[in-house]
Amino acid sequence: MPNATATATAPVPGVPPATAGACAAFTLRTLSPALGAEVVGLDLSRPLEPATVAELRAAWLQHLVLRFRGQALTDPQLLAVSRHLGELDPPGPNPYGAPFNPAHPEINVISNLREGDRPLGNLGDGEAVWHQDMTYIDHPPMASMLYAIEVPPSGGDTYWANLHLALESMPAGLRRRIEGRSAVHDSTYNSAGIMRRGMKDVTDPREAPGARHPLIVVHPDTGRETLLLGRRRNGYILGLSLAESEALLDELWAHACQPQFAFRQEWKVGDVILWDNRSTLHRRDSFDAASRRRMHRTQIKGAALRPAA
Ligand code: SIN
């Protein structure tokens, strides 16, 4: 069993430790032994000082997931706070061909709500399987931010898993089998299993469209090694037979998705979660189709992910 506490919260080389000390505009409260911290005392609707942004950034790189409770944000305020981390990355092509938030197309709407036949958001009410966002492009987003506007009375919890920790605690034999290898990150389906617009069904993962990335990469901001998995469906490890690739991917995913690497978020209205997309996986529980769930989401552009030496 890995020592999750020691590994997950250790300061990151090259990044000022996220102490949220005496002069900080906020304090931090650990959310789980594996990852995640709550930022207490910060109103994201107000302009942030550069020093506060720097401290938030350090906290985000150290804890990988930051939660802010009790927020009340307009769309422009959500965009403004997201832009503190970098340039926004527009949502990937949604299955219905038009932005869910036409006034602010950089914002994706994650919702089960419908107007007649027309979905008002993505991902419906079913499970969204473990994934990293948009790793099917060459430069996947570095961060995503999700703001809860309406939440169901039960269900719809979201989980994040720490991929640094999964890599660090990986059996040596398993690690040796993936070192130097890259995988295909299929762009055909979203995490709810819905085919993206303009895509064709994939019958052989070796032919799946999407970026190729090393399985072990160097985190561009911290230099720390991390596992990069994307999503399981139609994954393929280059250079292996399909059967070998399937068996190895099953082993990797079973290792990475263990509960000791994860944090569970039970949503309240006004929660904002900011996560590091390079070093975490996330998934969502299904919920009652008759209840309402609505979230607004932004993403921040990322850099190329280079292989670990
Ligand atoms: C997502 O995968 O980005 C959405 C997660 C959620 O609906 O909680």
Side-chain angles (χ1 to χ4, degrees):
M1 188 72 66
N3 180 349
T5 309
T7 313
T9 59
V12 178
V15 175
T19 52
C23 301
F26 57 86
T27 54
L28 291 171
R29 187 174 73 80
T30 300
L31 288 173
S32 86
L35 77 168
E38 182 153 323
V39 175
V40 181
L42 204 59
D43 177 352
L44 296 178
S45 70
R46 301 170 76 92
L48 300 179
E49 295 294 329
T52 305
V53 172
E55 288 187 338
L56 272 182
R57 193 180 160 79
W60 165 67
L61 289 172
Q62 183 173 337
H63 295 280
L64 311 182
V65 170
L66 294 182
R67 180 170 76 191
F68 308 77
R69 291 221 120 142
Q71 304 294 322
L73 300 179
T74 61
D75 284 345
Q77 287 166 340
L78 176 63
L79 292 170
V81 72
S82 306
R83 285 195 178 103
H84 280 305
L85 283 175
E87 193 186 340
L88 298 185
D89 215 352
N94 81 46
Y96 315 103
F100 288 121
N101 187 337
H104 300 287
E106 312 92 320
I107 292 180
N108 200 355
V109 180
I110 307 296
S111 184
N112 64 321
L113 302 179
R114 305 177 81 89
E115 209 167 60
D117 282 349
R118 195 169 66 89
L120 298 178
N122 224 337
L123 301 185
D125 53 49
E127 179 186 358
V129 297
W130 284 112
H131 66 284
Q132 288 168 281
D133 292 324
M134 286 174 57
T135 55
Y136 54 83
I137 64 173
D138 286 339
H139 298 176
M142 66 171 179
S144 302
M145 198 176 248
L146 193 55
Y147 169 47
I149 301 168
E150 292 183 80
V151 301
S154 63
D157 295 349
T158 309
Y159 304 71
W160 280 266
N162 181 339
L163 288 171
H164 291 301
L165 204 49
L167 181 64
E168 287 159 11
S169 60
M170 184 176 283
L174 181 55
R175 181 180 167 128
R176 268 196 301 279
R177 288 159 62 204
I178 61 167
E179 274 170 348
R181 293 206 175 271
S182 293
V184 174
H185 291 240
D186 175 46
S187 54
T188 310
Y189 294 97
N190 71 17
S191 54
I194 301 167
M195 191 182 285
R196 294 199 170 87
R197 201 176 173 80
M199 293 288 166
K200 288 201 303 264
D201 193 21
V202 171
T203 49
D204 183 339
R206 290 170 294 191
E207 288 158 18
R212 275 70 175 138
H213 296 292
L215 280 161
I216 306 176
V217 295
V218 177
H219 190 291
D221 291 321
T222 65
R224 204 172 163 193
E225 287 184 349
T226 187
L227 194 56
L228 184 75
L229 291 179
R231 60 197 73 209
R232 176 63 186 91
R233 187 169 186 177
N234 292 334
Y236 168 65
I237 302 180
L238 298 169
L240 298 185
S241 72
L242 189 52
E244 286 168 334
S245 165
E246 289 288 306
L248 186 47
L249 283 173
D250 284 347
E251 227 178 299
L252 278 176
W253 279 91
H255 171 75
C257 299
Q258 294 179 81
Q260 72 265 28
F261 303 139
F263 154 67
R264 175 185 194 168
Q265 158 73 353
E266 294 171 69
W267 292 95
K268 290 185 197 297
V269 169
D271 281 354
V272 173
I273 294 250
L274 166 68
W275 68 93
D276 187 324
N277 187 51
R278 288 82 47 102
S279 52
T280 61
L281 288 168
H282 58 285
R283 70 167 282 277
R284 181 195 77 193
D285 285 339
S286 61
F287 54 98
D288 181 358
S291 56
R292 297 175 64 93
R293 190 177 190 272
R294 185 163 59 99
M295 313 229 160
H296 280 191
R297 212 184 93 137
T298 54
Q299 297 181 147
I300 321 299
K301 274 189 199 302
L305 295 163
R306 63 182 174 82

